[in-house]
Amino acid sequence: MTSLRGAVVVASNRAATGVYDDTTGPLLVEFLVSLGFSCDRPIVVPDGEPVGAAIAAEVAGGARVVLTTGGTGLTPTDLTPEVTRSLLDREVPGIAEAIRAYGVGKGVPTAALSRGLAGVAGDCLVVNLPGSRGGVKDAVAVLEPLLLHAVEQIVGSDH
């Protein structure tokens, strides 16, 4: 199988300005590589429109999956779902619902506050994940058994 390309976009005002190093993006790059995707370093951008621009650039560049982390909460700068929705051809709500349910089921009630989306943009699956390491680990547990199948289905592969 030809290596599919994946990308990770980190939405964080503080990490983008060097206040601290992002630790969620590398977890997601490692996850994608473990599934057989080729994936460069995480793209770290400020919250809001830069997230949408980074997602759009990766989709246009041939990425088959883009995982975002951060910007899904309730603060005024958490705009990842809004900029993502504008790029999607269709939503896949079950993925985001499963990620929230997994966290809540593990006893993390605040997982329900994530407003992350999942959907298809062209031939690419885009999934918004929470910005915490715990939220990312929970999302990886949900995505691991279904991500490759979903990416293959988008282009009409047999299943």
Side-chain angles (χ1 to χ4, degrees):
M1 173 173 116
T2 309
S3 181
L4 301 172
R5 198 166 76 71
V8 174
V9 176
V10 177
S12 172
N13 290 329
R14 291 176 292 177
T17 57
V19 172
Y20 64 75
D21 289 333
D22 165 66
T23 60
T24 57
L27 286 176
L28 291 173
V29 168
E30 182 179 309
F31 167 62
L32 288 175
V33 169
S34 77
L35 291 180
F37 288 88
S38 64
C39 190
D40 295 331
R41 292 176 39 180
I43 302 154
V44 181
V45 295
D47 285 316
E49 208 41 60
V51 177
I55 295 168
E58 291 301 323
V59 170
R64 294 291 308 283
V65 63
V66 175
L67 301 180
T68 71
T69 173
T72 64
L74 303 178
T75 72
T77 60
D78 286 334
L79 299 173
T80 297
E82 287 75 17
V83 298
T84 299
R85 181 172 276 124
S86 70
L87 300 170
L88 298 178
D89 299 315
R90 11 182 214 156
E91 290 189 32
V92 186
I95 294 173
E97 291 164 4
I99 292 169
R100 285 186 282 274
Y102 186 88
V104 170
K106 281 185 56 183
V108 184
T110 54
L113 300 177
S114 173
R115 299 178 311 110
L117 299 176
V120 178
D123 288 341
C124 182
L125 180 67
V126 180
V127 184
N128 301 151
L129 309 181
S132 69
R133 283 180 64 86
V136 164
K137 288 178 180 179
D138 289 350
V140 163
V142 170
L143 292 173
E144 200 261 332
L146 62 85
L147 191 64
L148 276 172
H149 182 69
V151 167
E152 290 169 355
Q153 272 197 313
I154 290 169
V155 294
S157 298
D158 287 337
H159 55 86

